[in-house]
Amino acid sequence: MTDDAEEQGWATAKTLAEALPYIQIYDREVVTIKYGGHAMGEESVAKLFAADAVLLKMLGVHPVVVHGGGPQISRMLDKAGVKSTFIDGLRVTDEATMEVAEMVLSGAINKEIANWITLAGAEADVRGVGLSGKDARLITVEKAHRTKKDPDSQIEQVVDLGYVGEPTRIDPKLIEALIYAEEDYIPVVAPIGVSVEGETYNINADTVAGALAGALNAKRMLLLTDVRGVLDKNGELIRQMTLAEAREAIASGVATGGMIPKLETAIAAVESGVEAVVILDGRRPHAMLTELFTEHGSGTLIRA
């Protein structure tokens, strides 16, 4: 054995020794993963994500993937000539927009992610299964209600976002049947739900991931996005936050823009029973493995 080969062997053994305690911690535990529209990136990034999800399953973890797709929906709406309207950054989802959103989310994106997982897991017989919240009434929703202040009168006004829903009930039986089956399945869930009356609604994917994580009593929820995590006023990564600190970050303006709903989702998930939520950069190679199986992780961890 050459010196280089011996050094590589020692490095591999050291990595395994460091990871083993964490592998045992997550053995047979559910980890819910929000795979964001911007974090999907290029095909090579998607393939790497799929391979890491398969590896989690092979290590005894039960990953459940929830994906977004805002940029992809916007591109398809443009192609279809459907004009989008936004209120305070939230897309108003009329009937035409809802049809396109369901086609993109439950169709192209959902099946592509499930297929990448199946291809990555071919040798280990790990397979991705594409679902939406409409399947087996996995996600029951009600119409979302938002308010905004009139800039002149400062009076709160109700904003109609159309077919945008909020989960009111999660029935996890279908997901549990898949993750605890003798075969190795990884559910991939599109953020589409159905009302009691049978109407289809688009749901924020972060919200779906949080609601599923709570219903499945997940050990961890990973919010993969396109930033490192929550940054302080100096632009440095905040490694850990309590719920109180997360609320303070929102109130003080440390968290801005799209980070606010992510922190709100994290807070709600932890309050519903999830042990901890991590916001991390899904574009970084092996970000999930680094977060779960190393001492320092790779993002911002929020816990009670």
Side-chain angles (χ1 to χ4, degrees), residues 62-84:
H62 297 306
V64 177
V65 178
V66 177
H67 64 82
Q72 293 88 338
I73 292 172
S74 294
R75 287 197 294 270
M76 185 59 71
L77 287 170
D78 289 341
K79 286 183 180 179
V82 178
K83 186 177 180 180
S84 293

Side-chain angles (χ1 to χ4, degrees), residues 126-146:
V126 176
R127 286 170 279 180
V129 180
L131 306 167
S132 85
K134 292 174 71 173
D135 292 309
R137 275 202 182 270
L138 171 60
I139 306 172
T140 302
V141 304
E142 63 180 19
K143 183 180 175 67
H145 297 284
R146 293 286 188 277

